[in-house]
Amino acid sequence: MVTVATLLLLRHGRTTANAAGGLAGRQPVELDETGRSQAAAVGERLRLLSCPTVVTSPLVRCRQTLERALPQAVPVVEEGLTECGYGSWEGQPLKQLAKDALWPVVQQHPSAAVFPGGEAMASMAARAVAAVRSWDARVSAEHGPDAVWLACTHGDVIKAIVADALGLHLDLFQRLIVDPASVTAIRYTPLRPFLVRLNDTGGDLTALVPPPPKRGRRKRRTADSDATIGGGAGAGA
């Protein structure tokens, strides 16, 4: 079994815009009281891990989430993980945007969606995927294949990264749910990625840490299931 680094994708906690039903986009909205509590709660689980690398979207809601969740961490800002540029949609109520002609395109054919004065959804997906894959290779090289590292970012960004990991077309990414302060885990093996957790809001994250090598020569772990290594002896059955 090939052991590889594990990426944890953390969505920021609930914001004032989330609570009000608005589209924050790249505006400097902050966590509300619920969001601060969510960040503290996920921090209790994350502190049981040792994450040598923590990266974050530059937006304040992500940085506030990490300040509460992992106060000892020194996050590195990664521009590729910033929210999609929604252009003139930013700051508007979602119920109002739902009446816009672009809304059904965003929901059903997002790969064709280009926000007025903003970014194409496909461009967001491409730069986010490129960012996490680049960081994953860097973390693996610097800290070894057993490393667990963290990226704090946004709902649509995480959904786009998950869709790529699953081999899904971007037009299917709206079928995914990523709640505030949830954790999603992905492992990028040499041949294909594996989605290990999705939208985890309360599970034991220590299970994601590979066990230490046993005396002398490093031994490979026994796979929990065929899916863990993408098949095995029974893959063709």
Side-chain angles (χ1 to χ4, degrees), residues 4 17 36 45-46 56 61 93-94 98 100 103 109 113 120 122 128 139 151 159 183 196 200-201 212 216 223:
V4 294
R36 291 191 290 272
R45 295 192 292 142
L46 290 172
T56 181
R61 54 192 183 270
L94 291 173
D100 192 295
W103 182 267
H109 189 25
V139 170
K159 290 194 299 182
V183 176
V196 185
D200 186 332
T201 57

Side-chain angles (χ1 to χ4, degrees), residues 33-50:
E33 183 176 352
T34 295
R36 291 191 290 272
S37 296
Q38 290 171 334
V42 73
E44 292 300 315
R45 295 192 292 142
L46 290 172
R47 286 184 201 118
L48 299 176
L49 307 177
S50 176

Side-chain angles (χ1 to χ4, degrees), residues 17-237:
N18 295 145
L23 183 65
R26 297 180 180 178
Q27 295 185 327
V29 299
E30 302 189 10
L31 300 184
D32 66 1
E33 183 176 352
T34 295
R36 291 191 290 272
S37 296
Q38 290 171 334
V42 73
E44 292 300 315
R45 295 192 292 142
L46 290 172
R47 286 184 201 118
L48 299 176
L49 307 177
S50 176
C51 295
T53 301
V54 177
V55 300
T56 181
S57 156
L59 298 181
V60 65
R61 54 192 183 270
C62 289
R63 291 185 282 111
Q64 287 179 337
T65 297
L66 288 175
E67 286 169 3
R68 287 183 172 269
L70 295 173
Q72 304 305 315
V74 182
V76 179
V77 172
E78 169 54 62
E79 295 290 342
L81 294 178
T82 196
E83 180 63 285
C84 186
Y86 296 118
S88 62
W89 275 32
E90 292 187 1
Q92 295 193 47
L94 291 173
K95 62 182 180 181
Q96 179 178 325
L97 292 173
K99 301 175 184 177
D100 192 295
L102 183 60
W103 182 267
V105 179
V106 173
Q107 300 303 317
Q108 300 174 44
H109 189 25
S111 64
V114 181
F115 295 97
E119 184 178 24
M121 192 74 83
S123 297
M124 174 275 290
R127 47 102 167 151
V129 168
V132 295
R133 285 177 176 269
S134 175
W135 273 102
D136 193 75
R138 177 174 171 180
V139 170
S140 294
E142 294 181 359
H143 301 285
D146 293 338
V148 178
W149 66 285
L150 179 75
C152 186
T153 181
H154 310 272
D156 279 351
V157 173
I158 294 174
K159 290 194 299 182
I161 293 170
V162 169
D164 169 76
L166 291 175
L168 295 177
H169 195 283
L170 187 62
D171 286 346
L172 301 179
F173 98 136
Q174 296 289 25
R175 301 183 183 190
L176 303 170
I177 301 295
V178 177
D179 291 318
S182 65
V183 176
T184 292
I186 296 173
R187 291 192 179 116
Y188 291 99
T189 75
L191 296 181
R192 54 188 167 180
F194 287 92
L195 178 65
V196 185
R197 298 278 180 93
L198 175 65
N199 199 36
D200 186 332
T201 57
D204 177 13
L205 298 178
T206 60
L208 297 172
V209 181
K214 298 179 181 178
R215 330 172 185 159
R217 189 165 60 87
R218 189 178 188 284
K219 294 184 179 180
R220 294 180 175 181
R221 290 184 294 155
T222 300
D224 294 330
S225 69
D226 286 345
T228 307
I229 54 173

